[in-house]
Amino acid sequence: MRKVNAIIERASDGNYSIYSDAEDLDYLITGTGSTVEEAKQCFEGGYADMRRVYAEDGKPFTEVEMVYKYDMASFLAYYSKVISLAGLSRLTGINQQQLSHYVTGRRNPSPKTVAKVEKAIHLFAQDLASVHFA
């Protein structure tokens, strides 16, 4: 099944939105919510509704697998509940003030910085996954 990116962004009002970046599909799906979970629910509900409408109309529907991706500001804002900017700074080596600029949208990270943060988060997740308690 074809994979399509579903981009999660945080709006200036604090709500989250999700949209598909696949411009070649015959349909457009979006979702919004006050949390990422609400936005995903709305987005996935829209996808299910679209599939149903296509079936009712007898039109072929292109099934896709959505791959959720955060923009940097959305990721930092959403996960700030569990990962502080100070902690993320220690994990990534990126200055805490710089990370703060990404959260507020004053600055956007370069592709190199995005890759650096993503790699550090994945390594941290792998490290956490290997933890066992006695």
Side-chain angles (χ1 to χ4, degrees):
M1 183 178 301
R2 176 179 166 193
K3 293 184 179 190
V4 171
N5 293 328
I7 311 301
I8 301 170
E9 292 183 340
R10 187 167 179 246
S12 60
D13 66 0
N15 286 318
Y16 291 88
S17 64
I18 303 176
Y19 64 91
S20 167
D21 70 350
E23 296 178 7
D24 61 331
L25 292 176
D26 293 338
Y27 53 88
L28 173 67
I29 311 268
T30 61
T32 58
S34 59
T35 65
V36 170
E37 290 83 8
E38 283 181 15
K40 281 184 178 179
Q41 230 175 11
C42 181
F43 184 77
E44 291 168 3
Y47 179 79
D49 288 346
M50 191 64 66
R51 183 178 22 197
R52 181 183 46 75
V53 167
Y54 270 58
E56 288 172 0
D57 293 346
K59 294 168 47 177
F61 182 77
T62 305
E63 294 275 348
V64 296
E65 178 184 344
M66 298 296 178
V67 178
Y68 291 101
K69 294 189 174 191
Y70 289 85
D71 71 343
M72 185 63 67
S74 298
F75 170 81
L76 294 173
Y78 182 67
Y79 282 98
S80 67
K81 297 176 267 184
V82 292
I83 303 174
S84 68
L85 292 182
L88 191 59
S89 177
R90 286 189 291 277
L91 281 173
T92 63
I94 297 170
N95 180 286
Q96 185 176 343
Q97 188 63 36
Q98 190 66 31
L99 292 170
S100 178
H101 287 308
Y102 299 153
V103 172
T104 61
R106 274 192 225 132
R107 294 197 179 143
N108 292 316
S110 68
K112 182 179 175 183
T113 300
V114 170
K116 184 177 184 177
V117 171
E118 187 173 343
K119 181 179 180 183
I121 292 296
H122 289 174
L123 289 172
F124 181 58
Q126 288 173 357
D127 190 33
L128 286 177
S130 69
V131 170
H132 299 279
F133 297 104

